[in-house]
Amino acid sequence: MARVTTFMGFTIPHLLRSACRLCPAHSTLVVLRHSASCYCTVNGTTQSKRKMDHLERTANNFRQEVISQAKVCGITNESETVKRLRLAITNKDFTFKAGQWVDFFIPGVSVIGGFSMCSSPGLLEREGVIELAVKYTDHPPARWIHTECTLDSEVALRVGGDFFFDPQPGDTPVKLVLIAGGVGINPLFSILLHVADLHGYQESKGNGYKMGTVKLYYSAKNTNELLFKKNILGLMSALPGKITCRFHVTQQNSPICEELQPHITGTHSGTVLICRVLSLITSLRRKLNTISSSVHLPT
């Protein structure tokens, strides 16, 4: 029987395992590593006067030692405000778990970005690429991606993050409920794709981790901002009854397309992951605590 647990955000303590593999960094990237270190040190004295940046906010989180160069091999518009990057990874020791993020080093840009993967670890294993979906903001790394990044642009990446979904073959099956808002879907979509890979492996090999059902609840401003919706509907079709989704829009000014209409409302029970907006997560955690004793807030 699948265990029922409630997770909020990236924090999944009893299912998520800290990555423990440490790899030596390449000497060619020492300058990038040094610039990241200097950034944290110099700006640490002013963090009380402004919003904390990625490196400061995640200073206590796990980071792999390996930094890999990567080349942009695909750019698409996931929505009017979000670009989806496909990056070819050059270092064979570069790995990640579903739900983790990368430090994003851009030559000539002093600010280090931080973006969650929206692809599965399996895609990296199969094709040597990862994907990121980045919303436009004035933050230098996001602005660079939207205004200067081109095919064959080169960057460097380092994986980090303490929490991720990485069940092992002997683990107890669980039901997952994934709750996301806007671009916060990224790490949860990575987890959703990993779940699909787990189902595929279990069905083809007859062994491995036996995954429970997964329900995704996803809210955005309008249907145009529901990222990966076609992919999500495709997963539902490929794995009927195993993956389901309910969408919600808050400022829709046009009719909702027929394809999405059946998936607009619903209820849930099971393991819950919620991403974005700390105040929303805190409020929902209080409410969910009244029906479940296993609720976890992201760091």
Side-chain angles (χ1 to χ4, degrees), residues 101-230:
W101 40 258
V102 289
D103 293 329
F104 195 87
F105 301 91
I106 306 166
V109 177
S110 61
V111 179
I112 310 305
F115 306 113
S116 295
M117 267 72 72
C118 65
S119 55
S120 71
L123 181 66
L124 176 61
E125 294 174 3
R126 294 187 297 269
E127 301 182 26
V129 300
I130 68 165
E131 293 187 339
L132 308 173
V134 180
K135 187 178 180 68
Y136 178 82
T137 69
D138 286 331
H139 192 249
R143 186 170 63 241
W144 179 86
I145 287 171
H146 278 260
T147 62
E148 299 183 47
C149 180
T150 62
L151 289 176
D152 295 328
S153 289
E154 294 187 354
V155 296
L157 307 173
R158 175 173 57 195
V159 171
D162 296 319
F163 303 107
F164 42 81
F165 185 62
D166 184 36
Q168 301 302 299
D171 289 348
T172 302
V174 295
K175 298 177 182 179
L176 288 180
V177 175
L178 314 177
I179 303 178
V183 75
I185 186 67
N186 277 329
L188 300 189
F189 186 58
S190 175
I191 290 172
L192 192 67
L193 292 172
H194 185 50
V195 166
D197 285 346
L198 291 173
H199 277 300
Y201 184 86
Q202 212 277 332
E203 291 174 3
S204 64
K205 303 294 183 180
N207 56 22
Y209 179 72
K210 187 174 182 180
M211 187 68 215
T213 59
V214 180
K215 296 183 180 180
L216 170 66
Y217 294 85
Y218 182 22
S219 176
K221 180 179 179 180
N222 53 56
T223 53
N224 290 330
E225 292 297 322
L226 288 170
L227 310 181
F228 319 121
K229 53 184 174 289
K230 290 184 179 179

Side-chain angles (χ1 to χ4, degrees), residues 30-151:
V30 167
V31 173
L32 286 174
R33 293 171 61 81
H34 176 69
S35 67
S37 175
C38 290
Y39 178 82
C40 287
T41 302
V42 172
N43 288 275
T45 59
T46 62
Q47 69 181 49
S48 62
K49 299 180 181 179
R50 59 164 177 76
K51 184 178 179 180
M52 293 179 68
D53 216 330
H54 166 68
L55 287 179
E56 298 167 315
R57 188 171 56 250
T58 61
N60 295 323
N61 290 149
F62 171 83
R63 279 178 165 81
Q64 290 185 5
E65 287 294 324
V66 64
I67 298 179
S68 175
Q69 290 179 309
K71 181 177 288 189
V72 176
C73 59
I75 306 175
T76 57
N77 292 321
E78 190 63 30
S79 75
E80 294 179 357
T81 61
V82 176
K83 283 191 179 292
R84 188 171 180 174
L85 297 187
R86 174 168 279 218
L87 296 144
I89 306 301
T90 62
N91 192 321
K92 299 301 182 182
D93 290 325
F94 181 97
T95 62
F96 75 96
K97 306 297 184 183
Q100 288 188 305
W101 40 258
V102 289
D103 293 329
F104 195 87
F105 301 91
I106 306 166
V109 177
S110 61
V111 179
I112 310 305
F115 306 113
S116 295
M117 267 72 72
C118 65
S119 55
S120 71
L123 181 66
L124 176 61
E125 294 174 3
R126 294 187 297 269
E127 301 182 26
V129 300
I130 68 165
E131 293 187 339
L132 308 173
V134 180
K135 187 178 180 68
Y136 178 82
T137 69
D138 286 331
H139 192 249
R143 186 170 63 241
W144 179 86
I145 287 171
H146 278 260
T147 62
E148 299 183 47
C149 180
T150 62
L151 289 176

